[in-house]
Amino acid sequence: MLRIQYKDGSGDAVDLAPPGKTIGQGSVNDIVIDKPDVNGFHADIKVEDGQAVITDINSSSGTFVNGDKIGGPTNLRDGDIVTVGGIEFEVVEEDPTGGGKTLVLSGTALLEVGSGSWSLVADSGPEKGQVIPIVERVEIGRALECDISILEPALSRKHAELELDGDKLIARDLGSVNGTWVNAEKIEGEVELKDGDRLQFDKIKFIVTAPA
């Protein structure tokens, strides 16, 4: 199921369930935006057969999808950015497993490299204790094409990366909305990781382990 959430992480996410949801300034809407350039009934999202379609209701300031002002009914897909009154929302695909598996690892991330490599140890969720070896460069995010895909709506599609630089392990945030955290501090740019560091993406936590 698709859901729509504030891109900056504020406010509650809303499931896009049939028959649909409305966006506007009025309190009767499912998503209320109390701004003067938002109409009382601004946009309508109809949901049918798993497809969400957004329509602008002749608003004065318009409704935008991925930066383009829509002129009629527009299909919404995972990763789309909807903008109403300057407020950005992200459309995300809710975890189809219903809260079971959290991590999806690519073949590279599952490579058996023994104890001579850096690794992450999952410290939350159903996979707690799972060891993930780090090889060269590993991309982390919500997108399934990432080396480590974390099925949490609060993560960006391409959230962060880890890269080996000689005998160092570097973590970089990729401009994510909710940030990358090391030892409970939000990182800016990149940071060198140390053995025992706690790496966190939203509520998903890992312990960094140096080569033996």
Side-chain angles (χ1 to χ4, degrees):
M1 177 189 294
L2 291 174
R3 57 178 13 192
I4 188 167
Q5 62 188 25
Y6 288 82
K7 190 178 178 184
D8 64 3
S10 64
D12 296 325
V14 174
D15 290 335
L16 296 181
K21 305 294 179 182
T22 61
I23 303 173
Q25 189 179 137
S27 60
V28 297
N29 289 282
D30 300 289
I31 300 173
V32 178
I33 305 176
D34 188 15
K35 296 190 66 176
D37 54 349
V38 175
N39 286 28
F41 182 37
H42 194 104
D44 179 54
I45 303 176
K46 292 190 180 300
V47 181
E48 186 176 1
D49 297 328
Q51 178 62 61
V53 179
I54 188 168
T55 303
D56 184 81
I57 311 300
N58 298 318
S59 69
S60 57
S61 59
T63 300
F64 298 78
V65 175
N66 299 326
D68 295 326
K69 188 175 183 179
I70 63 174
T74 302
N75 289 341
L76 293 177
R77 298 177 177 83
D78 181 33
D80 282 347
I81 301 299
V82 175
T83 306
V84 175
I87 303 298
E88 291 187 327
F89 299 87
E90 185 177 16
V91 179
V92 299
E93 183 77 40
E94 189 178 22
D95 179 4
T97 63
K101 192 173 183 181
T102 304
L103 305 178
V104 178
L105 308 180
S106 74
T108 300
L110 286 172
L111 187 64
E112 292 291 341
V113 293
S115 60
S117 72
W118 286 88
S119 59
L120 299 180
V121 180
D123 196 38
S124 62
E127 297 84 1
K128 185 172 182 177
Q130 180 172 352
V131 179
I132 307 168
I134 303 301
V135 182
E136 296 182 354
R137 180 179 175 275
V138 173
E139 195 171 59
I140 301 169
R142 200 181 72 247
L144 288 176
E145 62 263 29
C146 290
D147 301 296
I148 302 176
S149 178
I150 302 177
L151 304 179
E152 287 289 342
L155 268 73
S156 299
R157 290 179 61 80
K158 301 292 180 71
H159 195 104
E161 68 178 12
L162 303 179
E163 185 173 15
L164 292 174
D165 182 7
D167 59 355
K168 299 178 181 179
L169 179 61
I170 307 298
R172 298 187 187 91
D173 186 82
L174 299 178
S176 67
V177 174
N178 294 318
T180 299
W181 301 73
V182 175
N183 299 326
E185 293 187 5
K186 189 175 183 180
I187 70 172
E188 300 293 340
E190 65 180 42
V191 65
E192 180 181 347
L193 297 174
K194 305 293 185 183
D195 185 47
D197 280 349
R198 295 186 175 273
L199 181 63
Q200 184 171 349
F201 310 99
D202 189 48
K203 58 187 176 184
I204 304 301
K205 302 175 183 178
F206 298 93
I207 298 173
V208 178
T209 302

